[in-house]
Amino acid sequence: MSERKPRKDAARNREAVLAAADALFARCESPDDVTMADIAAAAGVGKGTLFRAFGDRSGLLRALYEARLEPITEAVEAGPPPLGPGTPPQERAPALLDAVLCFKLDNRRLALALEEIGSSSPYQAEHYERWHRLLQAVLEQIPGLTDSDFTAHALLAATRAGLVEHLAGHGRVSRARMRAQLANFATRVLASGPQQGLTTES
């Protein structure tokens, strides 16, 4: 009984921190503008609480990213078409890419901040590897499509947060146009036969 209150307080603090960080990233001009001190102050907790709960800034960013991504993750794992596992691969692959793009558009600063941190490469980030594995597995089900590993990388490159920020910033490209361009690109890649598609042969 004595441990319930601390656990309850910790859960409440965690939610407050995630909500505060979410709001700050949504309003900021640059992800670098948001500090752990800013988040702690907005959440009404001490900096020590943040570090105990999330380890460091990158841990907090990953936790916030996963929280925001949860509805998409659920749809991909067990939802109906076009994201769910029962969807034909030719339809599911473009739908997955569209979901990634829309998520990046809706969470531009957060996605940019997360892709700017990491170890030696953003391609080693857990969230990127997860999307790549999923897309590669879907591409492998498409007859005639070669080199699903590279093709998955090439398609996901069109959804990188830096590119999304560049295109969406200052209204350069509208959301609808970006989605249409990505859908058209994905469709052309998936329709390419072994002679014309992305291959490793020279």
Side-chain angles (χ1 to χ4, degrees):
M1 293 292 292
S2 62
E3 294 184 1
R4 287 184 181 176
K5 189 174 185 300
R7 285 203 299 267
K8 202 171 190 180
D9 288 345
R12 186 164 53 244
N13 286 340
R14 181 182 178 87
E15 290 304 314
V17 167
L18 291 177
D22 198 11
L24 288 172
F25 277 111
R27 295 196 304 264
C28 72
E29 286 297 321
S30 168
D32 293 334
D33 293 341
V34 181
T35 67
M36 292 290 270
D38 294 331
I39 296 170
V45 301
K47 282 181 65 176
T49 298
L50 264 67
F51 288 104
R52 283 193 298 273
F54 302 100
D56 55 17
R57 187 172 186 271
S58 61
L60 173 57
L61 289 174
R62 284 192 291 270
L64 179 55
Y65 190 92
E66 291 300 324
R68 296 301 303 269
L69 192 63
E70 188 173 350
I72 298 176
T73 302
E74 292 176 354
V76 167
E77 292 178 350
L83 292 178
T87 311
Q90 291 90 341
E91 298 174 21
R92 195 181 186 202
L96 290 171
L97 290 167
D98 184 65
V100 175
L101 175 61
C102 288
F103 181 82
K104 299 286 183 70
L105 285 167
D106 292 337
N107 301 273
R108 283 164 54 190
R109 304 296 188 272
L110 172 61
L112 194 61
L114 191 62
E115 288 188 4
E116 287 177 350
I117 65 170
S119 52
S120 58
S121 167
Y123 297 101
Q124 295 177 359
E126 181 182 353
H127 64 91
Y128 181 84
E129 291 181 346
R130 191 189 323 157
W131 280 115
H132 179 266
R133 284 195 304 270
L134 174 61
L135 186 57
Q136 181 181 0
V138 173
L139 294 176
E140 286 173 349
Q141 301 172 37
I142 299 178
L145 188 69
T146 59
D147 200 351
S148 59
D149 176 55
F150 175 78
T151 304
H153 281 302
L155 290 171
L156 285 171
T159 70
R160 285 294 308 275
L163 177 61
V164 171
E165 177 66 22
H166 173 71
L167 294 176
H170 305 293
R172 291 187 184 93
V173 182
S174 70
R175 181 190 186 94
R177 181 163 175 74
M178 287 180 65
R179 293 181 68 188
Q181 289 173 329
L182 179 60
N184 182 54
F185 173 60
T187 298
R188 284 187 286 115
V189 170
L190 300 184
S192 299
Q195 301 297 321
Q196 301 166 311
L198 301 174
T199 73
T200 56
E201 295 180 3
S202 57

